[in-house]
Amino acid sequence: MTWRTTDRRFKCCVVFATAVFTYACSAPPDPRRTNFEIKGKDTTAKYDPKTGRLKRIDTDLNKNGRMETFSYWDGARVLRIEIDKDEDGKIDRWEHYNDQNKVDRVGSSSKDDEVEDTWTYPDERGFLARVDSDTDRDGTVDKREIFVPRDGAPDGRVLSIVELGLDKAGKPARRLHYRPDGSFEKSEVLR
Ligand SMILES: [Ca+2]
Ligand SMILES: [Ca+2]
Ligand SMILES: [Ca+2]
């Protein structure tokens, strides 16, 4: 997934996070009385039997009778939200959260086979900042795209740098630079 220019924001995460946080923070029935699972109409919440802490919420967000959104929790902290957007039984979006319950990165699968190989990072304002890819799917990110604000459009983003051949330490073999208008500027060979 590559955007040369984009206005994309991470709005959907915010909407969903608000919905599940509202759920997580409202006082559920005592989970010890419900075998550590509480079923609602569109939501099932599961609790750790040992600690009683919230572990997971399954949600039918679009209310069509099928759960497609699965969030993983440690008490009031959301760790990860997995979403099967097209409801084909395979997860296609992984939202990873930091310790402030904010989106750190969003994972996706380029082959739609439930293997995360692309991660999109927002900046502090929620705009696209970076895309990391594991193009050969060996478990190590090998490509990085960096986006910057577009000239004259503070809410727009444009691709600025592409790093290729990243090693395990994250050092690139090549770096491509793009001008603010999106045109190619130069290529550096780094090793
Ligand atoms: Ca659904
Ligand atoms: Ca799917
Ligand atoms: Ca790789």
Side-chain angles (χ1 to χ4, degrees):
M1 166 165 58
T2 301
W3 300 294
R4 296 298 295 272
T5 60
T6 180
D7 296 323
R8 178 176 292 233
R9 291 195 73 171
F10 288 68
K11 276 181 187 152
C12 46
C13 315
V14 176
V15 171
F16 178 68
T18 305
V20 289
F21 290 142
T22 304
Y23 179 87
C25 297
S26 59
D30 185 342
R32 287 170 298 182
R33 294 176 186 278
T34 58
N35 205 19
F36 299 97
E37 188 167 302
I38 295 173
K39 281 189 200 293
K41 189 163 166 288
D42 307 312
T43 303
T44 300
K46 292 170 187 169
Y47 296 80
D48 187 314
K50 290 203 182 82
T51 63
R53 290 164 76 81
L54 179 62
K55 293 285 286 180
R56 177 168 163 173
I57 303 176
D58 297 352
T59 311
D60 175 15
L61 209 57
N62 58 0
K63 302 189 192 298
N64 67 349
R66 193 183 302 181
M67 302 284 190
E68 81 298 299
T69 304
F70 311 94
S71 57
Y72 294 82
W73 298 75
D74 179 19
R77 194 191 150 200
V78 63
L79 306 173
R80 187 173 78 258
I81 301 177
E82 299 184 350
I83 303 168
D84 176 13
K85 272 186 290 186
D86 54 3
E87 302 194 339
D88 67 348
K90 292 188 287 185
I91 300 297
D92 34 60
R93 180 183 171 96
W94 294 260
E95 298 177 359
H96 300 271
Y97 286 75
N98 64 21
D99 54 12
Q100 268 109 48
N101 283 341
K102 287 199 170 139
V103 175
D104 175 64
R105 64 192 187 282
V106 176
S108 57
S109 173
S110 63
K111 292 190 169 37
D112 192 25
D113 60 359
E114 295 195 285
V115 176
E116 270 185 280
D117 60 11
T118 308
W119 296 269
T120 301
Y121 290 74
D123 65 17
E124 63 285 348
R125 289 181 60 214
F127 290 98
L128 178 64
R130 186 174 121 203
V131 178
D132 283 358
S133 310
D134 179 6
T135 60
D136 57 3
R137 309 183 119 207
D138 68 348
T140 301
V141 167
D142 46 68
K143 180 181 172 192
R144 174 162 294 158
E145 296 159 284
I146 295 170
F147 295 79
V148 296
R150 193 169 347 150
D151 282 352
D155 288 356
R157 291 294 178 271
V158 61
L159 180 65
S160 176
I161 288 171
V162 178
E163 294 181 334
L164 301 168
L166 271 63
D167 62 16
K168 281 197 160 44
K171 293 220 164 67
R174 276 180 72 203
R175 185 178 288 135
L176 312 177
H177 296 258
Y178 293 85
R179 297 189 188 91
D181 67 0
S183 63
F184 177 73
E185 184 184 2
K186 64 175 176 179
S187 170
E188 288 176 276
V189 178
L190 302 165
R191 62 175 157 77

